Amino acid sequence: MTAHRFYFEDFLVGRTVEVGQVTVDEAEIIEFATRFDPQPFHIDPVAAEKSMFGGIIASGWHTCSMMMRAMVDGYLADSASLGSPGVDEVRWLKPVRGGDVLTISSTVLESVPSTSRPDRGVIFTSWEARNQNDELVATIKGRGMFLRRPA
Amino acid sequence: MTAHRFYFEDFLVGRTVEVGQVTVDEAEIIEFATRFDPQPFHIDPVAAEKSMFGGIIASGWHTCSMMMRAMVDGYLADSASLGSPGVDEVRWLKPVRGGDVLTISSTVLESVPSTSRPDRGVIFTSWEARNQNDELVATIKGRGMFLRRPA
């Protein structure tokens, strides 16, 4: 079995870690949204300028995906992750635009050992993305299953 | 003001509509996850084969993004949508694999006129994705703000 850096035990309730920074690229915003969320304010600079957003903004799903990448690089890739059954709340609070620099952090909310499978447990986390003006732009309440550290 | 097909009033509580079908492509699964969710079971066929999933599966965020595209094509593009503040619950229930054909549907859960802005309201919806075996693979509880139909 491969050894990992992070197991169930390593996610301490209340601890916040900054997992990474992401610089948002407008060309990628448009590319992502052209494929997955082709609303005018995500893909058409002229229409976006006239919209309530005043310019191109990222699809909320793109913002979530950028946050996910930070989580993978920050700890998931080197963890005993068994995947996730979903997330509990996603909020898109402020527009995310090209050139924004997002700082992504994760706080452990709850740690629940499995009662049926003693080798694992579920970690509940709150993910936050803040932009270069320290504005909270998006939050995700996530959950993931992790193996416990082998004895 | 541009006329739209769908306004706040058109989302009737309890109504379910099938908004579209999506054929999942394994190359796209790998491409998406290489950028946003590079965990072995999303990007590495050999590692994925040995994982608990038995092969490459789509990132949950990719599945959400494919569902979003179906929603945009199905009704959002021709609606008086004012965007969304987020979603309330995302569940990834079964693996999504290359070759799967997902049928996406949307059910209106609740319709809440704005008290402060009489020209708009919030629609709460439940989105479902089922595969070709009629297995429910993912659900999203969404919410969106829409303008009311002009008098």
Side-chain angles (χ1 to χ4, degrees):
Chain A
M1 185 191 263
T2 317
H4 300 284
R5 186 165 167 209
F6 300 106
Y7 289 88
F8 175 76
E9 289 82 356
D10 297 307
F11 298 95
L12 302 180
V13 173
R15 181 184 284 181
T16 298
V17 286
E18 187 181 302
V19 292
Q21 283 197 324
V22 175
T23 300
V24 182
D25 180 66
E26 185 170 290
E28 189 186 82
I29 288 177
I30 294 173
E31 182 191 350
F32 184 100
T34 299
R35 171 67 187 92
F36 294 114
D37 192 355
Q39 300 187 78
F41 43 84
H42 297 317
I43 61 168
D44 178 342
V46 175
E49 182 75 32
K50 291 180 195 156
S51 78
M52 61 184 161
F53 301 116
I56 291 280
I57 65 167
S59 167
W61 300 108
H62 187 192
T63 301
C64 289
S65 298
M66 290 187 281
M67 293 169 76
M68 184 68 199
R69 175 59 188 263
M71 295 296 159
V72 173
D73 291 348
Y75 64 89
L76 278 173
D78 201 5
S79 77
S81 170
L82 297 171
S84 168
V87 298
D88 288 331
E89 188 190 274
V90 176
R91 289 293 176 270
W92 301 308
L93 301 167
K94 295 266 185 189
V96 171
R97 302 176 194 274
D100 281 356
V101 179
L102 306 183
T103 300
I104 319 292
S105 66
S106 172
T107 301
V108 179
L109 300 177
E110 204 180 345
S111 165
V112 182
S114 170
T115 48
S116 56
R117 310 280 296 266
D119 65 339
R120 62 193 63 187
V122 177
I123 301 294
F124 294 80
T125 48
S126 172
W127 305 358
E128 291 188 355
R130 289 179 184 274
N131 66 18
Q132 63 281 6
N133 304 318
D134 201 34
E135 295 170 312
L136 191 59
V137 298
T139 60
I140 298 172
K141 286 192 180 153
R143 48 167 81 187
M145 181 85 76
F146 293 87
L147 286 175
R148 301 186 75 120
R149 190 176 291 280
Chain B
M1 184 191 264
T2 317
H4 300 284
R5 186 165 166 209
F6 300 107
Y7 291 88
F8 175 76
E9 290 81 354
D10 297 307
F11 298 96
L12 303 179
V13 174
R15 182 183 284 180
T16 299
V17 286
E18 186 182 303
V19 293
Q21 283 197 326
V22 175
T23 299
V24 182
D25 179 67
E26 186 172 289
E28 191 186 78
I29 289 177
I30 294 172
E31 183 191 349
F32 184 101
T34 299
R35 171 67 187 89
F36 294 114
D37 193 354
Q39 300 186 78
F41 43 84
H42 296 318
I43 61 169
D44 178 342
V46 175
E49 182 75 33
K50 290 180 196 157
S51 78
M52 62 183 159
F53 302 115
I56 290 278
I57 65 166
S59 167
W61 300 106
H62 187 192
T63 301
C64 289
S65 298
M66 290 188 279
M67 293 169 76
M68 183 69 196
R69 175 59 188 263
M71 294 297 160
V72 173
D73 290 348
Y75 65 88
L76 278 174
D78 202 6
S79 77
S81 170
L82 297 171
S84 168
V87 298
D88 289 331
E89 189 191 272
V90 176
R91 289 293 176 270
W92 300 307
L93 303 166
K94 295 266 184 186
V96 172
R97 301 176 195 273
D100 281 355
V101 179
L102 306 183
T103 300
I104 320 292
S105 66
S106 172
T107 301
V108 179
L109 299 177
E110 205 179 345
S111 164
V112 182
S114 169
T115 49
S116 57
R117 309 280 299 265
D119 66 339
R120 63 192 63 185
V122 177
I123 301 294
F124 294 82
T125 47
S126 171
W127 305 358
E128 290 189 355
R130 287 178 185 275
N131 66 16
Q132 63 281 4
N133 303 318
D134 202 34
E135 296 170 311
L136 192 60
V137 299
T139 60
I140 299 172
K141 286 193 180 152
R143 48 168 80 187
M145 180 85 75
F146 293 88
L147 287 175
R148 301 188 74 120
R149 189 175 293 280

